[in-house]
Amino acid sequence: MALEANYCRVVLDQPGPGGVGQLLCTRRTRLGKSGQRICVGDRVGVDGIDWPAGRGAVASLEPRHGLLERPAVANVQRVVVVVALAEPAIDPLQLTRFLLTAECTGCAVQLVFSKADLVAAREVRGWCERVAGWGYSALAVSNQLGSDELLALRQTLSLPGIAVVCGPSGVGKSSLLNALAPDLGLRVGSVSGRLRRGRHTTRHVELFSLGPRLAGAEPSLVADSPGFNRPELPQDPALLAGLFPELRSRLEQGGCRYSNCRHLGEDGCAVGVDWDRHGLYRQCLAEIEALWQARSSRGKEAGLRQRGDRLEPLLDPSLRRRSRRSTRQHDLDEAREDQEPGSDQPSGQPLAGGLSKREG
Ligand SMILES: Nc1nc2c(ncn2[C@@H]2O[C@H](COP(=O)(O)OP(=O)(O)OP(=O)(O)O)[C@@H](O)[C@H]2O)c(=O)[nH]1
Ligand SMILES: [Mg+2]
Ligand SMILES: [Zn+2]
């Protein structure tokens, strides 16, 4: 549920002796040694439990699906991106960067405009229409006005599974959760300065349960998270277009002439340049490509080459031969083709426990 200094707060599937429902746990060192980082949202195995003291130790980590990188939350089912219509004002590039981080998980993304009470209804409508063109059906809410939109958001957050609320500091993420569940009593801070930015009031990610937990049912949990201003972009330039819903739908309808099309107005591009976020897409692509090139030229100096988001040893072409692994795969394929039809093993299912759905 939360990471607090050196402790993990773990909620139990079934209450233990004496009705203990939560444990404060340390982490077994072998978890760290095997490179396993525990995130809020992970399902873990606990041992060494001292029931009266409510203490234990996290000993194992279950495979996860859907990891949101920042804020780091595992097993995410929905990402709610919140930006304020005013105080602080919307920055379309920053909003796009948050949306891209959310899209990287492959989960459902809900965009919320907060502080609707601070701007004219016309402006609210304008933004909702604009992002509809990006492929998002946004909810415009205010913590001061009870509204159908707030109820719709409550419904989205009450679905089973984990939802994460993220966005810049000061947009009212904690205020929104307080409006939906006053019992939470989350700390809220004022905005300050010329840009009316937040002051990083929420300091860590924490999961809360919305509504009563029904026996046997998957609980609906929502994470409040600390605001930050500049989400990282994905590393691989080839992934970028697929993270813009308005491009994704056009690319699915009919592809560009070249499979490595950058969608910057090339001949035979199915997308063209006549779309609202084209300038933002171009800007993001330039940033990712520059970092990609810097990484791969640094890699080349060190005798490495970029492959996916990994660096691997660069081989002199004259020395290149088929790797042992691909040789083995080739032999396996040949053996399989020799088998009688119908005697095939079922083909490999994608493994659970990959980083994020889209990467998996
Ligand atoms: N006018 C107006 N102010 C709001 C609304 N929601 C939040 N605020 C104010 O915005 C400020 C920031 O609210 P928080 O809920 O702390 O914002 P946050 O997004 O959780 O910020 P961090 O925890 O720093 O990431 C507070 O002064 C709130 O009172 C709203 O709907 N309308
Ligand atoms: Mg907050
Ligand atoms: Zn194209």
Side-chain angles (χ1 to χ4, degrees), residues 104-170:
C104 277
T105 61
C107 297
V109 178
Q110 174 68 59
L111 174 54
V112 171
F113 290 125
S114 62
K115 308 198 187 184
D117 56 301
L118 294 182
V119 299
R122 196 162 29 87
E123 196 173 332
V124 177
R125 267 200 311 279
W127 272 109
C128 289
E129 282 164 17
R130 182 165 180 199
V131 299
W134 303 359
Y136 296 99
S137 153
L139 295 170
V141 302
S142 156
N143 68 345
Q144 302 184 345
L145 314 165
S147 67
D148 292 347
E149 262 101 342
L150 211 53
L151 291 178
L153 182 60
R154 183 203 295 275
Q155 260 170 10
T156 304
L157 294 178
S158 305
L159 295 171
I162 295 177
V164 183
V165 176
C166 60
S169 179

Side-chain angles (χ1 to χ4, degrees), residues 131-258:
V131 299
W134 303 359
Y136 296 99
S137 153
L139 295 170
V141 302
S142 156
N143 68 345
Q144 302 184 345
L145 314 165
S147 67
D148 292 347
E149 262 101 342
L150 211 53
L151 291 178
L153 182 60
R154 183 203 295 275
Q155 260 170 10
T156 304
L157 294 178
S158 305
L159 295 171
I162 295 177
V164 183
V165 176
C166 60
S169 179
V171 296
K173 299 178 295 297
S174 304
S175 306
L176 251 181
L177 293 178
N178 282 340
L180 292 174
D183 290 352
L184 291 179
L186 300 174
R187 207 155 73 82
V188 161
S190 57
V191 292
S192 65
R194 190 174 51 82
L195 297 176
R196 312 303 289 153
R197 289 221 180 125
R199 296 191 295 183
H200 303 281
T201 307
T202 304
R203 291 301 174 135
H204 38 241
V205 187
E206 181 162 0
L207 281 177
F208 301 99
S209 163
L210 282 186
R213 192 171 173 184
L214 306 172
E218 191 186 358
S220 48
L221 298 169
V222 57
D224 189 15
S225 70
F228 57 100
N229 289 325
R230 200 162 182 276
E232 294 294 321
L233 293 172
Q235 284 185 358
D236 184 347
L239 294 181
L240 185 67
L243 302 176
F244 284 75
E246 67 273 48
L247 278 196
R248 204 153 61 216
S249 56
R250 286 199 229 183
L251 293 174
E252 278 161 7
Q253 280 163 23
C256 305
R257 186 182 306 157
Y258 302 106

